[in-house]
Amino acid sequence: MAKGYWVSVYPTISDPEMLTAYDKLAGLAVQAAGGRLLSRIPSRGGRVVAHEAGMTQRVVLIEFDSFEQAVAAYESEAYQKALVALPDDFERDFRIIEGAD
């Protein structure tokens, strides 16, 4: 069974503190759903080498045991509560993708 992944890209973050409440709630929801944080860069000391367009936006990658588990985690009550913590004008590109395996 192919794994599932959440991929989030944040084009701009003018105030990182805006994400504090969301990060806490989302982290708990992801953990409860069996998700594992694989990477959150460039924050927390993560390294990034940008090519092509040269953008070093914040990227978060979370792994689940299956695509269905990733979708269910997003639709969970716990994660929906986390989404409410994001500011109304906050912009990000969020995708749930199926792994190649």
Side-chain angles (χ1 to χ4, degrees):
M1 179 181 299
K3 294 188 178 191
Y5 297 90
W6 284 8
V7 181
S8 302
V9 178
Y10 297 75
T12 59
I13 300 175
S14 58
D15 183 1
E17 295 301 314
M18 293 185 327
L19 293 176
T20 302
Y22 165 79
D23 282 345
K24 182 178 180 180
L25 294 170
L28 293 171
V30 165
Q31 185 176 18
R36 295 168 296 284
L37 176 66
L38 297 182
S39 182
R40 179 179 8 207
I41 55 173
S43 66
R44 298 191 184 190
R47 298 184 303 166
V48 61
V49 176
H51 294 283
E52 309 304 328
M55 297 178 195
T56 58
Q57 303 155 320
R58 180 183 187 192
V59 177
V60 178
L61 178 62
I62 298 173
E63 179 182 64
F64 292 87
D65 290 335
S66 71
F67 179 77
E68 291 77 15
Q69 185 181 12
V71 171
Y74 183 86
E75 294 173 350
S76 73
E77 183 178 338
Y79 189 69
Q80 293 304 305
K81 287 181 182 177
L83 286 176
V84 172
L86 285 174
D88 291 336
D89 62 345
F90 199 76
E91 180 184 357
R92 71 178 179 159
D93 181 359
F94 181 96
R95 297 172 190 213
I96 301 174
I97 61 171
E98 186 173 38
D101 296 328

